[in-house]
Amino acid sequence: MFFKSWRSQSTLEQQLQTHLPMLERIVASYEAIPAIQQELMQEVVLAIWSSFDKFKGDSAMKTYFARIAHNRCISHVDKAVKSLAEQELSEHLCQSSYIDEQLNEQQKYQQLLAQIRQLPIMQKQVISLFLEGFSYQQIADICGLSTSNVGVMLNRIKHQLAQFFTEESS
Amino acid sequence: MSLEPLKSLWQGQQASMSIVELINQAKKRQRRMFLLMLFDFILWFGFVIWACVFIRANERPDSFALGVVMIISISLGTAYMLWLRTTTWGAGELDSKNLLKLSIHRCEGAMQLIYVTYIFAVVVFTIVIGLEIYYSIEAEKLNRMIVWLVAYSALIVVVGQWYRKRQLAKKQYYQQLLEQLNEPQD
C-alpha cells in the first residue's frame, strides 16, 4: 500500500521519459524557483509512481500524467517563498526586457511562464493544458469544468496574454 | 491574437531534469515513508513489551492494571494513526476541486488528531491517577507520576498547538484556492 515494488518500472520509466518535458513545463507554470521546481518534480514523479497501478486506461497516459502533475502542484504550499521570488523574477525579467530589444526564445518562454504564474489557479491550469495541446474536452475533464467554460476562459486569457505581448513588443 | 505561436514556444521547451535521478529521489522518499511507518510499529511494539516487562517486574497490585491500560492506549493510538493515514492517502486521479477538498479534509484530519491526542492525554492521566489512588500507592510515587504525566501532557499541548497552527494555515490556503476555483467562470 505505502511501499511499492519498483521492479516493473521500465514501462513507467519510458512513459515518464516521454512526458517529462510536459511535466517540467507544468511544474514551471506553478513554481519559479528551480530548487523548488526540482522538489515538486520529485513529488509529481512519486505521485505518478504511487498511482500508476490504478491507471485503467480510461484516458490517455498524457492526460493522466497532466492531471496528477496539476494536482501535486496545487497542493504545493510554499506560497510565501513563491510569491516573493515571483516578484523578484518579474522585476528581473522586466529589466532584462528593456536591455534586450530582441528577446530570444528562452526569454520569451520565461516571460510567458511568469505571466502564467500570475494567473488565478483555474486559468493557469487551463492555459498550460491548452499550450500542451490538450483538447477542450480533455481540459474540461482534468479541471472539472464544462467545455464552454474552457472556451470562455481561454478567450479571456488570450486577451490578457495578447495585451502583455503587445506591450512587450512595442 | 492567436495562441498558436505561444503553443509552439511552449512545446519547444525540452526537459532539463534526468528521469533516472528523479525516480531515484522518489524511491528514496518512498523508502523514508516506509521507514517512518516501520518506526511507528517498532514504537508500538516497544511500548507493549515495556508494559509487559513493567507488569512482570513490579509485583504490585496496580501494575497489572497499569500495564493493561498502557497496552490498550498504545494500541488504540496506533490504530487511530493508521486509520487516519490510510483514509487521507492517495489522490492520483482526482480533479482539482476534489483534490483541494481532500487536502482540506487531510488538514481537518490532522487537527482532529490533535484534539483526540489531547482527549487521550486527559483520559490516560485520569485512568492512571485513578488506578494509583484505587490501589493506594505511596504519596511520593504518586507525586512523581503526576509530575511525569503533567510534563508529558504539557509537551503534547505545546507540540499540538504548533502543529495545529501549521495545519490551520494550510487549510486556509487550500480553502482560498478552492474559493478561486468556485468563483463563477462566466
Side-chain angles (χ1 to χ4, degrees):
Chain A
M1 174 172 46
F2 290 100
F3 187 63
K4 291 173 63 62
S5 158
W6 293 83
R7 274 171 293 179
S8 61
Q9 70 178 44
S10 57
T11 319
L12 177 63
E13 208 170 305
Q14 276 172 359
Q15 292 292 341
L16 278 170
Q17 189 70 58
T18 311
H19 299 296
L20 190 64
M22 175 190 75
L23 297 176
E24 269 197 41
R25 290 189 291 259
I26 291 177
V27 165
S29 70
Y30 280 85
E31 181 53 66
I33 304 169
I36 302 179
Q37 278 180 11
Q38 173 99 16
E39 195 185 307
L40 201 47
M41 272 299 288
Q42 283 175 32
E43 282 189 31
V44 169
V45 170
L46 182 60
I48 289 174
W49 188 277
S50 308
S51 57
F52 192 63
D53 288 346
K54 291 181 221 154
F55 178 66
K56 297 181 190 82
D58 301 340
S59 58
M61 189 68 79
K62 188 181 174 187
T63 313
Y64 184 70
F65 282 4
R67 185 195 293 260
I68 293 178
H70 275 290
N71 284 349
R72 289 312 300 164
C73 291
I74 282 178
S75 54
H76 168 61
V77 286
D78 294 305
K79 201 189 171 199
V81 185
K82 192 165 73 173
S83 56
L84 181 71
E86 196 81 65
Q87 260 180 346
E88 286 168 3
L89 188 75
S90 300
E91 280 167 20
H92 171 72
L93 284 169
C94 287
Q95 283 166 3
S96 66
S97 71
Y98 285 116
I99 297 164
D100 303 318
E101 282 184 18
Q102 292 285 321
L103 290 171
N104 62 29
E105 293 284 289
Q106 186 57 34
Q107 279 174 312
K108 272 187 186 169
Y109 172 67
Q110 290 300 331
Q111 284 191 323
L112 176 62
L113 275 178
Q115 284 300 305
I116 290 174
R117 284 185 206 119
Q118 284 169 11
L119 293 171
I121 191 155
M122 187 56 94
Q123 293 188 12
K124 195 187 303 194
Q125 287 194 328
V126 169
I127 187 67
S128 58
L129 290 169
F130 177 78
L131 293 175
E132 278 305 332
F134 285 99
S135 69
Y136 280 27
Q137 187 57 56
Q138 286 170 319
I139 298 173
D141 289 344
I142 293 173
C143 300
L145 291 169
S146 67
T147 43
S148 56
N149 271 341
V150 172
V152 171
M153 212 179 280
L154 271 172
N155 217 22
R156 194 186 293 165
I157 303 166
K158 193 157 66 173
H159 286 300
Q160 288 178 359
L161 290 180
Q163 203 178 2
F164 168 74
F165 278 96
T166 316
E167 279 170 16
E168 285 299 310
S169 55
S170 61
Chain B
M1 180 201 161
S2 161
L3 285 173
E4 288 309 311
L6 294 184
K7 212 182 224 182
S8 55
L9 173 69
W10 181 267
Q11 291 180 9
Q13 296 301 312
Q14 292 308 309
S16 60
M17 295 178 200
S18 149
I19 193 63
V20 178
E21 196 187 320
L22 280 168
I23 287 184
N24 284 340
Q25 282 161 344
K27 275 184 195 177
K28 211 184 279 177
R29 274 184 178 219
Q30 207 171 33
R31 251 181 254 131
R32 200 183 308 143
M33 200 190 304
F34 173 71
L35 287 175
L36 279 173
M37 280 201 63
L38 199 66
F39 177 74
D40 275 355
F41 277 108
I42 290 170
L43 201 68
W44 168 79
F45 192 66
F47 266 114
V48 170
I49 297 289
W50 178 68
C52 292
V53 170
F54 177 83
I55 295 170
R56 195 179 154 77
N58 298 286
E59 289 181 357
R60 299 197 318 258
D62 63 320
S63 56
F64 179 74
L66 272 180
V68 169
V69 166
M70 272 187 245
I71 292 174
I72 292 173
S73 323
I74 295 298
S75 303
L76 283 176
T78 310
Y80 174 71
M81 274 301 294
L82 289 176
W83 170 79
L84 200 67
R85 282 187 190 202
T86 48
T87 54
T88 53
W89 182 261
E93 291 178 272
L94 299 175
D95 69 26
S96 309
K97 279 184 192 174
N98 286 321
L99 178 88
L100 284 172
K101 283 176 192 161
L102 179 68
S103 302
I104 291 169
H105 171 65
R106 280 178 184 161
C107 294
E108 282 167 353
M111 285 194 281
Q112 188 200 71
L113 171 71
I114 295 158
Y115 298 131
V116 170
T117 311
Y118 288 168
I119 295 169
F120 208 67
V122 171
V123 170
V124 168
F125 186 93
T126 316
I127 291 177
V128 170
I129 299 299
L131 281 173
E132 294 301 315
I133 291 170
Y134 179 77
Y135 286 103
S136 18
I137 66 156
E138 306 118 56
E140 193 193 333
K141 220 167 197 176
L142 184 64
N143 288 342
R144 207 166 49 211
M145 193 166 268
I146 290 174
V147 169
W148 273 108
L149 284 171
V150 167
Y152 156 79
S153 306
L155 183 73
I156 282 182
V157 170
V158 170
V159 175
Q161 284 305 103
W162 168 80
Y163 190 61
R164 188 184 153 275
K165 212 172 155 186
R166 255 175 76 104
Q167 292 302 322
L168 196 65
K170 265 192 189 180
K171 187 186 158 188
Q172 280 166 352
Y173 173 61
Y174 290 137
Q175 272 172 336
Q176 198 186 328
L177 292 180
L178 190 62
E179 274 164 29
Q180 272 189 37
L181 292 185
N182 284 333
E183 274 169 17
Q185 313 291 337
D186 50 322

